[in-house]
Amino acid sequence: MIGKQLSHYHVVERIGAGGMGVVYRAHDERLDRDVAIKVLPPGAIADEAARKRFRKEALTLSKLSHPNIAMVFDFDTQDGMDFLVTEYIRGTTMDASLGPGFLPEKQVLQLGL
């Protein structure tokens, strides 16, 4: 995916993956900004139920407006691959934060608030 063009988004790097998809940092060439693009994992592209859940996730997120939830910019399909475009928020992953061990209690409380 890196180096590929999805619509007007140029995929730059992979930034994460999970059970429901793979997330990449991409550059929006129309608005000259970085975005996050989530795509279904390769095995799920043919799974119609997974594609429906992915679309439902996109629709649900697009209706939310909260400072702790990334804004949805776009949902599209190219060459049979659905993708969700959201705000790209720089930072460290939870895995990186937990790498050295448990978080201090004060930091856990701040994250909870």
Side-chain angles (χ1 to χ4, degrees), residues 39-89:
V39 298
L40 287 174
I45 292 172
D47 180 355
E48 195 57 38
R51 292 183 77 188
K52 284 182 180 181
R53 283 192 309 274
F54 190 51
R55 179 165 174 72
K56 184 176 181 179
E57 174 187 350
L59 290 171
T60 301
L61 287 172
S62 72
K63 295 174 184 172
L64 299 175
S65 177
H66 189 278
N68 294 333
I69 300 173
M71 290 178 38
V72 172
F73 296 143
D74 198 1
F75 182 78
D76 204 352
T77 302
Q78 180 174 307
D79 301 327
M81 179 173 28
D82 296 334
F83 60 96
L84 171 65
V85 182
T86 65
E87 171 184 17
Y88 173 67
I89 302 170

Side-chain angles (χ1 to χ4, degrees), residues 1 3-5 8 10 13 20 26 32 34 36 53 57-59 64 68 72-74 82 93 103:
M1 282 291 298
K4 187 174 181 176
Q5 196 78 18
H8 56 279
H10 180 78
E13 69 175 323
M20 192 58 187
D32 192 26
D34 283 347
R53 283 192 309 274
E57 174 187 350
L59 290 171
L64 299 175
N68 294 333
V72 172
F73 296 143
D74 198 1
D82 296 334
T93 64
L103 294 175

